[in-house]
Amino acid sequence: MSASPKPDQPSRPMLRFRGRSFLALALAPAQPLEAWLADLDAWLERSPGFFTGRPVILDLSAAKIPVADLGSFIADLAGRSIRIMAVEGIEEGSLGLGLPPAIGRGRDATLPEAKPAADEGSKQPKSAPEPVSLIIDEPVRSGQTVFHPRGDVIVMGSVSSGSEIVAGGSIHVYGALRGRAIAGVANQPGARIICRKFEAELLAIDGLYKAADDMDPALHGRAVSARIVDDALVVSALD
Amino acid sequence: MAKVLVVTSGKGGVGKTTSTAALGAALAQMGQNVAVVDFDVGLRNLDLVMGAERRVVYDVVNVIQGEAKLAQALIRDKRLDNLALLPASQTRDKDALTEDGVARVIDELRQKFDWIICDSPAGIERGATLAMRHADVAVVVTNPEVSSVRDSDRIIGLLDSKTLRAERGERMEKHLLITRYDRIRAERGDMLKTDDVLEILSIPLLGIVPESQDVLRASNIGQPVTVSGPDSPAGRAYAEAARRLKGEALPVSVPGERAGFFGKLFGRRAA
Ligand SMILES: Nc1ncnc2c1ncn2[C@@H]1O[C@H](COP(=O)(O)OP(=O)(O)O)[C@@H](O)[C@H]1O
Ligand SMILES: [Mg+2]
C-alpha cells in the first residue's frame, strides 16, 4: 500500500482484493484550488459518480494546502462524493483524528523526530521502524479511518458503522465491530479479525473479503473470529 | 470559571436551537450568568426561539469585524436579566466568521458569563467546527433514529479531534441529549431504543426530551420551553438536564415510563 509520490505524476498504488486488483486513485490538486475544483467539476459532469465508493488518495505534494484548511478541502471533495482514504505529500507526520491518515512519508532515517504532545490524540503510528501494535482506547467513530499498515490494531471500545480499520496484521476489537475491518494488508494471510460483538459492514483479510450480506446472520451480535482457511475467509463464533 | 458549551449534532432539525434556548434559560433560572451564541450564520434562528428577533441590532459578525462592541450586540432577555443572546447575522455567510475573531469573542464572553452556550449549525463543516472549537463541554443532540445517531457519532469524532481541548490533549466533556423522543413510536419499535443509542454513542446521558406540542408552542410565542412551560414534560426534562450539567447526579427519566425503569437507565450511563 505504500505510495511513492513522483513529482507531478499521480502515483497509483495497487491493492489486492479477492484476487482482483484495483487502483487507489491518486488525486493531485494544484493551485489555485478554485480552478482545480472547477476542472474536477467539469470532469465529474461527464463521469458522475466516478469516485463514489472508490478509494482515493489525496496527493498534496503540488498543492501545499495548509493543514488548517485541509478539513474544509476534504469536505469540499466529500461534497462531490469523493472520499479521501489517505493523504500523502504533506510535511506533518499526522493530521489528527478528524482527517484521513497521512501516508507515503519516508520511513527511513531521515524522518524528523516524532512530534510530542500535539500528536497525542492521533491514531497514526509514530515513526517506529518496527511493526508495532496500535492500541486505541476510545471508540472509533463514524467517518474515521484507522490506517496502520505495519502491525496489529487493538481497539478497546467499539468500531462504529461508517468507520474503517486497516491493519497490516490482525485487528482486535473489544467492543462491537460495526464498521469495516481490513486486516493483513501487509501480505499477512495469517492475520485474524477478532471482536466481542460482531455487526461488521465488511471484513477483509489479505485481500479476501466478506460484506455484511454474505455473513451468517446467526453470528450477528456474537463474539467471533475471522481468518483465512484454504483461501476462503471463515468467520466463526468464539463461544 | 466560565464554561463554554457547544450544542451540536451533525444533522439539522434535531433540536439544537430549541435545546440551546431551553438549557440557557434553565441555567439562568438557576441563577447562573448565561450567554447563548448563535453560530448559524445565514440561517439565524435562536433570536426567534428566544423572542428577541425585533431587538437585533448588531450581531456576532459585526463584533468580529469590529463594527460593534460585544456589549452593543448582546441582547438581554426580557424575562431573565442574567440571560443574554448574541445573535447570528442573517445576511452574511459562514465565511464571515474568522477563527481569530471567534476566539476573541469567546474570550471576552468568558470574562462576563458563567456559561457560554454555542448553538451550532448543522453539518460537519467550518460553521460547525468553529462553533465547537473553544468548547469545554459538548451537548450532542440526537433523535432516536439511525441517521441522527450516525451523524452524532461523526460529530463526537470531531469533538475529540478538532477542538482546542482535543488538540491540547485534554479530555472533552461530552453529554448525550436525546430529543423528540416519542413513547408511542418507541413502543411500536419505530424508533431506536434508548439503550441502543447509548451503546452506539457511548457518552453519558444528559436527558431525554419528549416530542411535544409544548415545544412548538413555546417557539411560536418566542419563549424557551423551560420558561413558557416549566412544568411541561419537555420543560422539566430540560430543567433536569441543566441541573445535571451543573454536576447534580439526578437519575434520568424516560418520558412516559414508569419509575422502575429509571434506575436501570441511570445504571447504564457510560463513563
Ligand atoms: N421535543 C420537541 N418536540 C416537538 N418539536 C420539536 C422538539 N424539539 C424540536 N422541535 C421542533 O423541531 C424543529 C427543529 O428544531 P430546531 O431546534 O430548530 O433544530 P436544529 O437547531 O437542530 O436544526 C423546530 O420546528 C422545533 O420546534
Ligand atoms: Mg438550529
Side-chain angles (χ1 to χ4, degrees):
Chain A
M1 313 253 333
S2 80
S4 46
K6 295 184 197 83
D8 299 327
Q9 191 193 331
S11 56
R12 314 202 136 196
M14 303 282 284
L15 295 173
R16 198 169 71 98
F17 232 66
R18 196 187 235 169
R20 265 176 278 154
S21 57
F22 67 85
L23 291 170
L25 301 159
L27 270 180
Q31 299 283 4
L33 289 178
E34 286 77 2
W36 184 82
L37 283 171
D39 283 351
L40 178 66
D41 284 338
W43 197 83
L44 284 173
E45 221 159 75
R46 273 177 282 126
S47 309
F50 179 80
F51 291 101
T52 312
R54 290 231 165 114
V56 180
I57 287 171
L58 192 59
D59 178 355
L60 296 182
S61 40
K64 296 275 173 274
I65 302 173
V67 170
D69 298 337
L70 202 49
S72 68
F73 183 67
I74 286 175
D76 281 347
L77 293 175
R80 293 166 170 85
S81 296
I82 300 176
R83 188 176 164 233
I84 301 301
M85 64 179 283
V87 178
E88 66 178 23
I90 53 152
E91 245 113 73
E92 271 78 357
S94 101
L95 297 174
L97 271 184
L99 291 171
I103 59 164
R105 59 215 156 92
R107 287 186 186 140
D108 47 50
T110 62
L111 266 179
E113 308 282 36
K115 287 189 202 127
D119 274 7
E120 221 45 357
S122 162
K123 282 174 186 170
Q124 277 286 104
K126 302 285 172 353
S127 54
E130 294 300 315
V132 67
S133 297
L134 176 66
I135 301 181
I136 297 169
D137 280 315
E138 287 132 61
V140 179
R141 304 287 180 179
S142 184
Q144 292 179 336
T145 299
V146 175
F147 187 79
H148 184 59
R150 278 173 297 162
D152 296 350
V153 173
I154 298 161
V155 183
M156 302 312 297
S158 293
V159 175
S160 288
S161 160
S163 71
E164 186 170 79
I165 311 244
V166 180
S170 297
I171 297 173
H172 307 253
V173 180
Y174 287 90
L177 171 55
R178 302 196 170 94
R180 300 150 60 93
I182 298 163
V185 297
N187 242 319
Q188 284 193 35
R192 299 199 190 182
I193 298 169
I194 298 160
C195 68
R196 205 162 73 175
K197 190 172 183 196
F198 176 63
E199 296 173 17
E201 289 165 349
L202 179 122
L203 295 180
I205 299 175
D206 191 33
L208 294 170
Y209 78 90
K210 258 193 175 149
D213 291 346
D214 309 330
M215 298 192 234
D216 180 358
L219 293 172
H220 190 89
R222 299 185 61 181
V224 307
S225 145
R227 58 178 172 152
I228 293 190
V229 180
D230 296 333
D231 226 25
L233 194 136
V234 177
V235 188
S236 47
L238 282 176
D239 44 32
Chain B
M1 247 228 332
K3 273 201 172 174
V4 178
L5 183 154
V6 62
V7 178
T8 186
S9 70
K11 198 170 151 85
V14 296
K16 288 180 293 297
T17 300
T18 303
S19 300
T20 302
L23 291 173
L27 284 165
Q29 285 166 321
M30 291 159 65
Q32 303 279 296
N33 263 321
V34 181
V36 291
V37 185
D38 193 345
F39 272 87
D40 207 346
V41 171
L43 281 175
R44 78 171 203 226
N45 243 306
L46 190 56
D47 55 326
L48 287 172
V49 174
M50 310 256 311
E53 70 277 12
R54 286 204 303 274
R55 298 162 62 209
V56 174
V57 181
Y58 295 111
D59 56 56
V60 64
V61 172
N62 295 134
V63 177
I64 282 176
Q65 303 194 334
E67 297 151 359
K69 293 214 172 61
L70 180 61
Q72 292 174 291
L74 282 170
I75 303 170
R76 210 145 280 284
D77 188 78
K78 280 186 293 229
R79 294 158 294 259
L80 298 161
D81 50 87
N82 49 341
L83 176 63
L85 162 71
L86 182 56
S89 166
Q90 180 70 318
T91 48
R92 319 278 185 99
D93 64 23
K94 289 188 171 62
D95 296 334
L97 293 180
T98 61
E99 174 116 25
D100 286 353
V102 170
R104 262 186 289 115
V105 170
I106 297 280
D107 271 350
E108 211 179 327
L109 288 166
R110 274 186 197 271
Q111 313 302 317
K112 299 197 170 110
F113 294 93
D114 302 317
W115 291 87
I116 297 112
I117 306 185
C118 305
D119 182 20
S120 175
I124 55 169
E125 290 160 38
R126 198 176 137 80
T129 50
L130 269 179
M132 68 171 65
R133 185 87 185 131
H134 299 271
D136 306 302
V137 187
V139 169
V140 178
V141 179
T142 304
N143 296 161
E145 39 133 328
V146 177
S147 64
S148 172
V149 171
R150 153 103 49 124
D151 287 1
S152 292
D153 194 48
R154 188 89 212 256
I155 278 290
I156 295 168
L158 296 184
L159 287 167
D160 284 336
S161 61
K162 294 231 163 170
T163 51
L164 281 176
R165 264 183 182 260
E167 287 174 6
R168 290 195 300 251
E170 295 166 14
R171 249 202 124 65
M172 178 88 196
E173 190 184 324
K174 299 173 290 274
H175 300 275
L176 178 65
L177 186 64
I178 297 179
T179 59
R180 314 203 68 167
Y181 176 89
D182 184 332
R183 186 177 56 90
I184 312 281
R185 290 184 57 211
E187 276 167 5
R188 278 205 309 257
D190 294 348
M191 290 189 326
L192 283 179
K193 288 205 222 37
T194 305
D195 272 8
D196 291 339
V197 177
L198 277 172
E199 209 247 337
I200 291 171
L201 296 178
S202 57
I203 57 173
L205 182 61
L206 185 69
I208 305 176
V209 180
E211 171 80 21
S212 142
Q213 287 299 317
D214 299 323
V215 173
L216 292 177
R217 222 172 292 128
S219 85
N220 283 337
I221 59 170
Q223 290 188 14
V225 68
T226 36
V227 173
S228 69
D231 296 321
S232 67
R236 269 212 309 274
Y238 277 121
E240 287 179 8
R243 286 168 63 189
R244 287 183 202 102
L245 278 176
K246 280 270 291 155
E248 267 185 67
L250 287 178
V252 175
S253 50
V254 179
E257 294 270 353
R258 284 170 305 277
F261 194 63
F262 300 178
K264 217 165 103 194
L265 246 190
F266 187 54
R268 277 204 36 81
R269 277 176 68 129

